[in-house]
């Protein structure tokens, strides 16, 4: 049987930025999807990396008195180290200054030029220095662009407009291509206006830190034309065709602010190269602090490392994945974090684990009891448990990580109620095997939930499964082994106590 394949990417982050929760969110989301798909047996490839060219990098390097490449080498570990700390399982980390990328960008420029999709012209228009691109009158009026000036320059243009009709048809014919649905409609709305051509060069006299245009050495290429190509240069386009064919097309996870570059610039570039379009472009919302976007310039960023230090990596991963609903913005507050942690991880999951293991220790000699023949009450838990794996798999294949987590927590909540109703601590006094059966059922539900939570909380779950003596178990009901001695262990998710202000 042919294996499914799954190729997932994050945006490549600007090397100048200090990584914050917004960057961590997309990367953890990609990691969770990659881990799930690997566990499902899919041939998986997970790419992230850094965007290292352009004016801002050049200026920042100048300020520090460093050559731009040295500046990038200095800053790159801020991201790669954070990903290690966050348990990110990326298969590759691409930097756009690497030779393997530069050579592909240049070969693509040659190819697109040769096929007639690049031409030169003199253009006078409004240019946003901050955004590093020409903008339209309408964009300038929106007030969202900084450092706008009139610029007259000879440049190279990519014939984006030529592919407009084909792109509209493609988006309409493939409803799952741009997700969520409202983002697809936003792009179709944008495409109702005539699409201009894309200026893809910058004269070296103005900007030298970029990839040189092979057919005109006086220019470097526009940073977005360069950056988007990372998604194919990293997997061997024009260098390792087998690898390229094995993984392309990709699922691109991006923030909503870079939807146009991905669904219009990138797709038309792919059309011109005669390559298949991405499998999906998924635009998530923003993490907000109060009403505003979290961003360096606003000075309201939450630093992932601070949170990790306080609450641990897995709690941070769980929070980010459960709190952001598919495609909408989410509000980050320390209070929300604590609320979510205490209710889901400390109360629901952690308490259940403490409770069952405590009762097993007290009444059953610390040994996992026999499963026995399920009663009708046990059967209700078994039914939910058996249905959970396929349900979660379907949700994950549809990028609905928050809903998948909610389903898992629903099983845990059901089991907490079942424990209350069955009261195995009382039952032990009259019918010890029946009490054992209840505890087996509850522990098995915990094990199954833990297996499904592995992609989100790899470290904690590994500990839970080790405690239960089933480190490599899977998703079939009943893999928990009776007769295994449970070791003593400290609480895995201690409650966060909030000091009350007096
Ligand atoms: N370098 C480009 C991407 C090139 S991809 C070929 C870039 N980099 S970035 O570092 O500025 O932003 C990367 C991603 O972080 C974007 O998807 C953006 O949406 C995301 N976020 C930045 N701030 C964010 C929040 N506050 N919340 C969620 N994500 C946000 O753009």
């Amino acid at each position: 049987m042919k294996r499914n394949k799954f190729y997932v990417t994050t945006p490549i982050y600007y090397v100048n930025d200090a990584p914050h929760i917004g960057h961590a969110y997309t990367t953890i989301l990609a990691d969770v999807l990659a881990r799930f798909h690997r566990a499902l047996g899919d041939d998986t490839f997970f790419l992230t990396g850094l965007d290292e060219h352009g004016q801002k990098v050049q200026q920042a390097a100048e300020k520090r008195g460093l050559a731009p490449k040295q500046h990038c080498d200095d800053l790159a570990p801020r991201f790669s180290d954070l990903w290690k700390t966050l348990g990110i399982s990326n298969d590759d980390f691409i930097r756009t200054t690497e030779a393997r990328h530069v050579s592909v960008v240049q070969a693509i420029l040659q190819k697109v030029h040769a096929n007639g999709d690049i031409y030169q012209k003199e253009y006078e228009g409004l240019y946003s220095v901050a955004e590093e691109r020409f903008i339209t009158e309408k964009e300038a009026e929106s007030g969202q662009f900084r450092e706008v000036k009139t610029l007259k320059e000879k440049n190279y243009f990519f014939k984006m407009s030529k592919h407009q009709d084909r792109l509209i048809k493609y988006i309409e014919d493939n409803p799952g291509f741009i997700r969520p649905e409202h983002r697809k409609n936003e792009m179709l709305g944008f495409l109702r206006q005539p699409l201009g051509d894309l200026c893809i060069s910058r004269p070296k006299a103005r900007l030298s830190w970029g990839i040189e245009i092979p057919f005109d050495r006086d220019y470097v290429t526009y940073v977005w034309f360069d950056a988007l190509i990372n998604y194919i240069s990293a997997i061997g386009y024009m260098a390792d065709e087998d690898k390229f064919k094995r993984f392309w097309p990709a699922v691109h996870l991006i923030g909503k602010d870079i939807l146009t570059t991905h669904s219009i610039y990138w797709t038309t570039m792919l059309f011109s190269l005669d390559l298949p379009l991405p499998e999906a472009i998924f635009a998530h919302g923003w993490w907000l602090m109060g009403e505003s976007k979290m961003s360096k310039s606003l000075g309201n960023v939450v630093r992932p490392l601070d949170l990790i230090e306080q609450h641990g990596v897995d709690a941070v991963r769980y929070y980010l994945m459960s709190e952001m609903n598919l495609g909408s913005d989410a509000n980050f507050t320390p209070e929300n974090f604590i609320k979510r942690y205490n209710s889901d991880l400390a109360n629901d999951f952690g308490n259940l684990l403490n409770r069952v293991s405590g009762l097993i220790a007290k009444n059953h000699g610390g040994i996992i009891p026999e499963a026995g023949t399920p009663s009708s009450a046990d059967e209700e838990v078994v039914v939910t448990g058996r249905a959970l794996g396929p349900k979660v798999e379907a949700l994950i294949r549809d990028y609905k990580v928050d809903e998948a987590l909610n389903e898992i927590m629903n099983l845990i909540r059901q089991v907490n109620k079942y424990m209350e109703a069955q009261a195995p601590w009382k039952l032990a006094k009259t019918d010890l095997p029946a009490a054992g059966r209840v505890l087996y059922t509850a522990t098995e539900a915990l094990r199954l939930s833990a297996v499904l939570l592995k992609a989100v909380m790899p470290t904690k779950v590994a500990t839970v499964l080790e405690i239960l003596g089933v480190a490599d178990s899977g998703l079939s009901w009943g893999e928990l082994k009776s007769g295994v001695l449970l070791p003593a262990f400290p609480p895995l998710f201690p409650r966060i106590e909030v000091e009350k202000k007096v």
Side-chain angles (χ1 to χ4, degrees):
M1 210 177 75
K2 201 175 166 296
R3 280 164 86 197
N4 284 324
K5 74 95 190 157
F6 183 67
Y7 173 30
V8 66
T9 68
T10 72
I12 47 171
Y13 304 107
Y14 288 126
V15 73
N16 272 348
D17 282 349
H20 63 65
I21 285 288
H23 306 122
Y25 171 75
T26 324
T27 313
I28 294 170
L29 178 63
D31 185 61
V32 167
L33 295 176
R35 284 175 186 265
F36 252 113
H37 281 266
R38 279 189 210 114
L40 291 169
D42 296 350
D43 189 18
T44 302
F45 197 85
F46 165 18
L47 176 70
T48 187
L50 293 175
D51 196 349
E52 302 194 333
H53 290 122
Q55 187 170 283
K56 280 176 224 151
V57 176
Q58 182 174 305
Q59 283 166 350
E62 266 164 24
K63 243 192 201 161
R64 294 176 69 205
L66 292 177
K69 178 66 167 74
Q70 201 188 340
H71 169 72
C72 295
D73 289 347
D74 244 28
L75 295 186
R78 291 205 292 193
F79 283 87
S80 48
D81 289 351
L82 177 64
W83 301 155
K84 269 188 216 123
T85 309
L86 277 169
I88 302 301
S89 64
N90 52 305
D91 296 291
D92 200 348
F93 185 84
I94 187 147
R95 297 178 51 191
T96 52
T97 47
E98 287 174 81
R100 62 169 172 155
H101 174 74
V102 173
S103 61
V104 175
V105 172
Q106 290 187 321
I108 286 177
L109 282 162
Q110 287 285 20
K111 191 169 170 177
V112 178
H113 190 231
N115 75 19
D117 270 1
I118 290 176
Y119 64 93
Q120 197 182 30
K121 80 165 179 191
E122 186 154 68
Y123 179 78
E124 182 169 6
L126 297 170
Y127 187 85
S128 159
V129 181
E131 287 286 317
E132 297 182 51
R133 69 171 175 94
F134 283 101
I135 58 171
T136 60
E137 295 272 351
K138 219 171 153 192
E139 283 176 318
E141 280 162 20
S142 76
Q144 285 172 3
F145 294 84
R146 285 173 296 129
E147 300 169 68
V148 179
K149 61 178 188 185
T150 308
L151 197 69
K152 187 175 175 185
E153 224 170 53
K154 213 173 193 184
N155 268 307
Y156 287 94
F157 287 78
F158 166 58
K159 285 188 189 165
M160 197 157 71
S161 56
K162 165 177 155 185
H163 303 282
Q164 178 164 8
D165 293 340
R166 186 174 168 199
L167 180 57
I168 295 174
K169 186 162 177 351
Y170 188 92
I171 297 173
E172 283 171 346
D173 290 348
N174 295 275
F177 173 52
I178 298 176
R179 291 162 186 250
E181 175 88 11
H182 64 279
R183 297 282 167 221
K184 177 191 91 176
N185 297 334
E186 188 183 311
M187 282 302 105
L188 283 173
F190 184 89
L191 284 165
R192 258 182 241 126
Q193 317 287 329
L195 206 55
D197 288 340
L198 183 67
C199 177
I200 56 152
S201 67
R202 299 292 180 265
K204 271 193 190 166
R206 189 153 67 76
L207 171 74
S208 58
W209 184 235
I211 297 180
E212 191 174 82
I213 295 202
F215 46 84
D216 191 336
R217 316 225 126 184
D218 291 337
Y219 290 86
V220 295
T221 193
Y222 170 45
V223 70
W224 270 101
F225 195 89
D226 156 1
L228 289 160
I229 290 172
N230 92 88
Y231 299 134
I232 55 177
S233 66
I235 53 161
Y237 179 62
M238 288 176 154
D240 179 351
E241 284 300 310
D242 284 345
K243 186 172 177 188
F244 178 68
K245 282 207 187 95
R246 181 170 152 205
F247 291 114
W248 186 253
V251 170
H252 297 315
L253 304 179
I254 57 167
K256 62 183 181 181
D257 51 326
I258 54 174
L259 182 61
T260 314
T261 47
H262 281 77
S263 49
I264 296 180
Y265 298 4
W266 180 223
T267 47
T268 50
M269 285 164 69
L270 289 165
F271 276 151
S272 180
L273 290 168
D274 209 12
L275 288 176
L277 296 199
E279 194 176 312
I281 298 174
F282 178 84
H284 62 72
W286 283 340
W287 282 93
L288 306 175
M289 284 284 266
E291 292 299 298
S292 35
K293 184 187 176 201
M294 204 179 280
S295 75
K296 198 169 67 177
S297 47
L298 289 176
N300 63 350
V301 291
V302 173
R303 294 212 317 246
L305 281 175
D306 295 347
L307 273 182
I308 294 169
E309 255 167 44
Q310 287 169 37
H311 308 297
V313 170
D314 284 339
V316 173
R317 292 173 59 109
Y318 181 83
Y319 170 76
L320 293 177
M321 290 303 103
S322 56
E323 196 75 14
M324 187 175 274
N325 181 262
L326 190 81
S328 329
D329 290 343
N331 213 317
F332 183 96
T333 65
E335 294 77 27
N336 265 349
F337 181 94
I338 293 173
K339 209 165 131 199
R340 171 72 75 170
Y341 173 95
N342 277 345
S343 77
D344 290 9
L345 299 180
N347 291 357
D348 292 342
F349 191 91
N351 264 352
L352 182 61
L353 182 64
N354 292 342
R355 211 164 175 198
V356 293
S357 59
L359 287 168
I360 290 174
K362 190 168 167 222
N363 298 330
H364 304 267
I367 289 170
I368 299 180
E370 291 297 324
T373 314
S375 69
S376 59
D378 304 340
E379 201 53 57
E380 282 174 24
V381 174
V382 178
V383 167
T384 316
R386 284 194 203 281
L388 189 62
K391 214 184 237 176
V392 167
E393 177 181 337
L395 288 168
I396 293 293
R397 290 200 184 280
D398 209 17
Y399 315 100
K400 295 178 176 155
V401 177
D402 60 317
E403 288 180 34
L405 287 176
N406 194 36
E407 288 293 340
I408 300 169
M409 282 302 151
N410 278 343
L411 173 65
I412 295 294
R413 288 186 274 262
Q414 182 182 344
V415 175
N416 274 318
K417 284 195 191 126
Y418 158 82
M419 286 282 287
E420 280 305 315
Q422 299 302 308
W425 51 94
K426 277 193 208 148
L427 204 53
K429 293 181 191 140
T430 53
D431 186 348
L432 196 60
R437 216 185 52 227
V438 172
L439 290 175
Y440 179 91
T441 309
T443 314
E444 172 57 354
L446 264 173
R447 183 200 66 80
L448 194 85
S449 320
V451 173
L452 288 166
L453 287 168
K454 218 180 199 171
V456 178
M457 298 191 288
T459 318
K460 290 277 181 188
V461 164
T463 312
V464 173
L465 294 176
E466 234 163 72
I467 290 169
L468 299 179
V470 275
D472 293 319
S473 60
L475 286 176
S476 323
W477 183 269
E479 287 187 52
L480 181 71
K481 293 189 215 96
S482 307
V484 171
L485 182 70
L486 288 186
F489 58 92
L492 290 183
F493 297 104
R495 230 187 121 72
I496 303 173
E497 299 300 341
V498 196
E499 280 171 41
K500 287 210 179 79
K501 287 197 185 96
V502 265

